[in-house]
Amino acid sequence: MTKEQEKEIRKHYIDNLRNLTILLLFPVHTFMIWNNFGSRFYIWQGENKILSTLIVLVNPWFMPILFALAGISARYALEKRTNKEFVIGRVSKLLIPFLSGMIFLIPFQTLYARRFFYNYERSLWDNWKYFFTHLTDFSGYDGAFTPGHLWFILFLFIISMVTLLLFRIIPYEKLTVSVEKMPVFGMLLLFIPIWFMYYLGNFGGFSLGKNLALYLIGYYVLSNDLLIEKLERNIKWLATLCVIGTIMSVALYYCFSYYGDLWINFIGWISILVLLIMAKRFLNKRTGLTEYLNHASYPIYILHQSILVALAFYVVQISDVLLVQVFCICIGSFLLTVLAYHLIKLVPIVRKIIGIK
């Protein structure tokens, strides 16, 4: 298959949805600086109910959808690659950037956490040694070891390797007929195994089991065009249910601080289905921005949080005005991350270890 043919069959709405979701991390991680979840961030300015509720608005789906999209992409990748080619690709795209990020990026943001919370004044090198020799709760807010935001890359690498043999034993085609017979209501009920799997391999709310389930469903179910068309024919009531459920989630959290696992997994799942259909309708096009973000979004993901944390450390000391702080941290970290991406592109070795093609 030539590159031109591959571009023709590429589902651009999957790329666009993935890219936009990654960009959403800038406001979400900015708002985390004021979260009221009882969990600190690397820089934490106290509780703000409105900003925390805005996180709740998207939190049920904005990371889970990335695993579902990864499962869809894995199906297409394995159609034209051997097992060896797939493994080599995952190592270069996921494992190497994860390891390099753990060495050069994550200790950097834990340094700022220690400076913010504990007035730590020693060097980055001293913090780097502390980072790799101390283990606490994996949060990293005390400077100890943590995968930070790179947990996503680690989980995706593990899941990709674990499921590779399964996909060869039970190929996509073997389940196609059964999947295509699934009613829309049956699609909604898939949130149940997602919810059950949430408790498997759960590390402080980051669930390996849940994301494995989403990846598998993406591979076997959401990559089926006939099933997507079936969902599209039912988009009106699905979208209505999604909007009502999201409003209820926001209201329940804002008024009662309710964030139940069962409810959130259901809302997250139906949101994924609706977003896939809406993206297929309105984002299934290849634009200059699509091409740019297809290359940039992944390194932006890797770089963004370390830059955001460092910038926030200084911004919250310069200004006491909440809106100014939020704007400067969110927009400033985005611009600095894009700048860092373009600078890194100029250095071949660094470009390779950060996952830039």
Side-chain angles (χ1 to χ4, degrees):
M1 180 182 296
T2 66
K3 289 185 177 180
E4 289 73 18
Q5 290 173 322
E6 185 175 330
K7 285 182 179 180
E8 286 299 318
I9 66 171
R10 192 178 184 99
K11 290 177 168 54
H12 299 296
Y13 73 92
I14 295 175
D15 294 328
N16 288 322
L17 185 55
R18 180 192 300 112
N19 295 336
L20 292 176
T21 301
I22 289 175
L23 294 182
L24 190 61
L25 286 165
F26 286 96
V28 168
H29 282 158
T30 298
F31 298 162
M32 279 293 295
I33 296 171
W34 291 270
N35 83 81
N36 69 344
F37 307 146
S39 171
R40 295 182 301 178
F41 194 55
Y42 296 91
I43 307 296
W44 189 66
Q45 282 294 94
E47 298 181 353
N48 185 292
K49 196 64 172 284
I50 294 177
L51 295 180
S52 297
T53 303
L54 290 175
I55 298 175
V56 170
L57 183 68
V58 300
N59 198 56
W61 60 263
F62 92 99
M63 288 305 290
I65 200 172
L66 293 177
F67 285 96
L69 294 175
I72 297 173
S73 298
R75 185 214 140 183
Y76 299 125
L78 287 170
E79 283 183 347
K80 55 182 180 292
R81 296 178 189 171
T82 64
N83 288 359
K84 181 179 179 180
E85 291 170 337
F86 184 79
V87 170
I88 292 174
R90 296 301 88 185
V91 168
S92 63
K93 183 73 178 291
L94 298 174
L95 184 59
I96 292 176
F98 170 75
L99 294 175
S100 61
M102 289 299 299
I103 295 171
F104 299 111
L105 292 177
I106 305 302
F108 179 72
Q109 63 195 44
T110 65
L111 169 66
Y112 278 100
R114 293 181 79 187
R115 286 180 175 176
F116 183 82
F117 290 112
Y118 307 108
N119 296 315
Y120 182 75
E121 296 181 352
R122 301 183 70 176
S123 67
L124 174 61
W125 170 246
D126 288 323
N127 184 74
W128 191 88
K129 291 187 291 184
Y130 181 88
F131 178 84
F132 284 106
T133 56
H134 289 75
L135 185 66
T136 54
D137 60 359
F138 288 108
S139 70
Y141 308 150
D142 54 1
F145 184 84
T146 175
H149 62 291
L150 300 184
W151 69 268
F152 166 72
I153 300 175
L154 175 62
F155 277 21
L156 188 54
F157 178 74
I158 294 172
I159 290 170
S160 298
M161 296 299 97
V162 168
T163 56
L164 181 58
L165 179 60
L166 174 65
F167 293 155
R168 295 311 189 190
I169 296 174
I170 309 176
Y172 167 81
E173 292 77 14
K174 194 169 184 178
L175 298 181
T176 300
V177 175
S178 299
V179 167
E180 290 176 351
K181 291 180 179 179
M182 187 183 303
V184 173
F185 182 72
M187 281 289 295
L188 291 181
L189 291 180
L190 287 176
F191 92 92
I192 295 176
I194 294 172
W195 171 47
F196 283 162
M197 292 287 282
Y198 172 76
Y199 302 99
L200 177 64
N202 191 310
F203 303 93
F206 301 100
S207 172
L208 185 61
K210 173 182 175 177
N211 293 312
L212 169 62
L214 287 162
Y215 186 86
L216 290 172
I217 292 172
Y219 184 91
Y220 286 114
V221 180
L222 298 180
S223 66
N224 188 295
D225 291 334
L226 290 180
L227 189 140
I228 293 297
E229 291 173 6
K230 187 183 299 185
L231 287 172
E232 194 169 9
R233 290 193 295 269
N234 292 270
I235 187 59
K236 289 184 179 180
W237 71 266
L238 286 172
T240 301
L241 181 60
C242 177
V243 171
I244 293 174
T246 300
I247 293 173
M248 289 178 60
S249 295
V250 170
L252 286 169
Y253 185 81
Y254 187 82
C255 297
F256 307 106
S257 296
Y258 174 78
Y259 197 74
D261 293 339
L262 174 62
W263 175 254
I264 293 304
N265 277 290
F266 173 69
I267 294 302
W269 174 240
I270 192 172
S271 297
I272 289 173
L273 297 180
V274 170
L275 286 168
L276 273 173
I277 300 307
M278 299 304 288
K280 184 174 183 292
R281 283 192 175 184
F282 302 107
L283 297 177
N284 197 22
K285 58 186 72 173
R286 177 188 170 199
T287 65
L289 183 60
T290 303
E291 291 299 308
Y292 175 78
L293 289 176
N294 282 349
H295 294 285
S297 63
Y298 182 59
I300 282 175
Y301 176 87
I302 294 173
L303 296 167
H304 85 281
Q305 185 165 283
S306 298
I307 293 173
L308 187 149
V309 168
L311 179 62
F313 176 81
Y314 297 106
V315 168
V316 298
Q317 297 180 65
I318 295 172
S319 174
D320 294 326
V321 181
L322 177 61
L323 290 179
V324 173
Q325 292 175 336
V326 171
F327 179 84
C328 290
I329 294 171
C330 184
I331 303 301
S333 62
F334 170 72
L335 295 175
L336 288 173
T337 302
V338 172
L339 175 61
Y341 161 67
H342 283 281
L343 292 176
I344 286 173
K345 283 176 63 178
L346 302 177
V347 186
I349 295 178
V350 180
R351 183 175 64 198
K352 184 176 180 64
I353 65 175
I354 212 71
I356 302 175
K357 293 182 179 180

